[in-house]
Amino acid sequence: MKLIIDTAEKVAALAADRYTALLDQKPDAVLGLATGSTPLGLYAELVRRCKAGQISFGRVTTFNLDEYVGLDAAHDQSYRYFMNTNLFDQVDIRKDATHVPSGLDTSAAAASAYDEAIKAAGGIDIQLLGIGNNGHLGFNEPGTPFGSTTLVVELTDSTRQAYKRFFASLDQVPTHAVTMGLKTIMNARCIILMALGTAKAEIVKKMVSGDVTPLVPASVLQLHPNVEVYLDH
Ligand code: PGA
């Protein structure tokens, strides 16, 4: 695991440099994307570079990590809506090349079709990740087996509490989500994980140097040969 530690602005720019280099070398790259507060600085920088003509998403394919069960694409807290607003609608990407798991089709067939679509696209070149305070990746909560592929999960109380800020009340926070599994994530050729703020310090330490255990899902990344972790001080 390579650690890159600087200010939040600088790590967003350094992570954007990785995407710029990838897209120069492979314009039809496959990107695994994430939602949450953490990647917003990176997305803003990618939008800026695209508008400045420095990068193009014209041939890129994307797969997002996760989606809330029960929210359709038009819901302003759905992850499809988040991605459209913060990235896709602002760059030159083909919308039909962007994939976010459906929050409305929770069938096993839909979950396995998501994994198959990633494979058919050639696999993910860079998977972007945040980390939950409980060590979750995507919505793989503590206890999820490392071998999991895309699946429907029940959200823990701590995750629902952490996301309550985006909803009118706790009851409105969905109880389930569809998420790429840990194995799906680990199949990416490169992983960029970003974490900002003191509240993430303890879990980042466990991820980097604690036991490798499903109780800390992000610890599985110690087993991946190509992980870059972007942190503020
Ligand atoms: P955050 O979410 O970027 O909003 O902190 C990260 C996560 O829960 O995976």
Side-chain angles (χ1 to χ4, degrees):
M1 243 184 233
K2 184 173 159 199
L3 303 190
I4 298 100
I5 306 173
D6 211 306
T7 62
E9 294 72 29
K10 183 75 181 173
V11 292
L14 290 171
D17 289 347
R18 293 286 289 106
Y19 287 90
T20 303
L22 174 67
L23 295 179
D24 272 352
Q25 186 211 332
K26 188 175 179 187
D28 59 348
V30 179
L31 305 181
L33 298 176
T35 53
S37 311
T38 310
L40 287 173
L42 167 64
Y43 290 157
E45 180 60 15
L46 292 175
V47 167
R48 192 190 66 72
R49 291 184 192 196
C50 187
K51 288 187 171 154
Q54 294 164 5
I55 50 173
S56 171
F57 291 86
R59 293 173 57 200
V60 163
T61 301
T62 68
F63 290 90
N64 261 80
L65 279 172
D66 47 15
E67 181 60 283
Y68 288 119
V69 167
L71 302 195
D72 68 20
H75 191 291
D76 67 4
Q77 290 307 325
S78 75
Y79 286 165
R80 164 53 77 180
Y81 188 96
F82 175 103
M83 290 309 303
N84 287 349
T85 309
N86 291 298
L87 186 65
F88 302 152
D89 288 345
Q90 299 198 61
V91 296
D92 59 346
I93 203 160
R94 290 170 297 119
K95 232 6 147 22
D96 62 357
T98 69
H99 304 86
V100 179
S102 167
L104 302 182
D105 183 351
T106 56
S107 65
S112 69
Y114 201 71
D115 285 307
E116 286 308 316
I118 294 171
K119 274 188 210 140
I124 289 173
D125 290 298
I126 297 181
Q127 176 64 54
L128 180 64
L129 298 173
I131 180 171
N133 293 331
N134 62 2
H136 74 199
L137 296 181
F139 275 128
N140 292 282
E141 301 283 37
T144 309
F146 285 167
S148 62
T149 52
T150 298
L151 73 166
V152 175
V153 294
E154 183 170 7
L155 303 181
T156 60
D157 287 343
S158 78
T159 295
R160 293 184 67 241
Q161 289 287 352
Y163 285 96
K164 177 175 83 176
R165 66 191 194 275
F166 298 115
F167 292 85
S169 65
L170 185 61
D171 331 334
Q172 307 210 358
V173 183
T175 56
H176 291 75
V178 186
T179 180
M180 278 186 198
L182 292 170
K183 186 168 165 211
T184 316
I185 291 169
M186 289 290 281
N187 281 339
R189 285 183 274 281
C190 173
I191 290 177
I192 288 183
L193 183 141
M194 302 183 78
L196 303 172
T198 47
K200 296 282 171 73
E202 199 176 313
I203 194 66
V204 166
K205 185 173 178 199
K206 285 188 183 157
M207 166 182 80
V208 171
S209 55
D211 292 343
V212 176
T213 164
L215 297 178
V216 180
S219 67
V220 73
L221 298 178
Q222 292 182 34
L223 306 176
H224 192 287
N226 192 8
V227 178
E228 298 171 20
V229 181
Y230 291 76
L231 305 169
D232 64 355
H233 295 288

